[in-house]
Amino acid sequence: MVVKVSTEIEIDAPAEEVFQTLIQFDKWKEWNTFIVDVTGAKTPVVGEQITIHFKDKFALKSASPIILKVDPEGKELRWLGRGGCCGMIMDGAHHFECQDKGDGKTRLLHGEDFTGALPVLMPSIMKQTREAFEELNTALKLKCET
């Protein structure tokens, strides 16, 4: 079973600028209030493993996903994080897509598709995840609009 967490926000900045901000991992700690640091790469490269350090309501945590897609033309970034043996506990396919609205504005689609037992058994975690993604979206909007 797949549990989807989907968010979106409109950003008053061109899609190219929003995408460039997203792929500058070494600068995330300057603006990102959810994923507070990324190590392993300054910018994403398909096939590389990164380590993301993120805050939830209780602690600083980390995960080490693999970059699946970096598409400057389509302005899309994807990674896959694995939790537990063969994804039985939880896997998360994370995505960002910057859609050009044609008027100097961007629609950011940001979400994650979760599989495994944990997302199904603990819906409260999915609610917290949605809230954290919305926080990240708002921080990105502020960064790109100022």
Side-chain angles (χ1 to χ4, degrees), residues 2-116:
V2 177
V3 177
K4 294 180 180 281
V5 174
S6 300
T7 65
E8 69 177 72
I9 194 168
E10 185 173 295
I11 300 174
D12 192 11
E16 178 65 29
E17 180 181 327
V18 175
F19 185 72
Q20 287 302 315
T21 301
L22 276 173
I23 64 171
Q24 293 174 349
F25 287 163
D26 59 330
K27 298 190 186 224
W28 277 28
K29 58 184 151 199
E30 296 173 11
W31 62 267
N32 197 326
T33 56
F34 171 53
I35 300 175
V36 296
D37 197 12
V38 179
T39 56
K42 288 184 178 185
T43 59
V45 176
V46 172
E48 284 196 5
Q49 185 171 35
I50 58 172
T51 300
I52 59 171
H53 305 276
F54 60 96
K55 294 186 310 186
D56 70 9
K57 291 187 176 188
F58 306 106
L60 184 64
K61 298 182 179 179
S62 63
S64 296
I66 303 289
I67 303 294
L68 298 178
K69 184 175 187 178
V70 183
D71 180 2
E73 295 298 316
K75 296 167 188 61
E76 186 176 1
L77 172 63
R78 293 182 175 272
W79 66 63
L80 177 65
R82 307 211 77 160
C85 178
C86 307
M88 292 177 64
I89 295 176
M90 181 171 70
D91 280 357
H94 201 107
H95 66 273
F96 298 92
E97 183 180 349
C98 303
Q99 296 181 338
D100 187 348
K101 293 188 68 188
D103 56 359
K105 296 182 180 181
T106 302
R107 175 177 291 115
L108 174 71
L109 304 178
H110 172 205
E112 193 154 359
D113 296 344
F114 293 96
T115 56

Side-chain angles (χ1 to χ4, degrees), residues 114-129:
F114 293 96
T115 56
L118 191 61
V120 176
L121 297 174
M122 301 194 68
S124 63
I125 290 176
M126 297 299 101
K127 181 179 182 287
Q128 291 172 11
T129 300

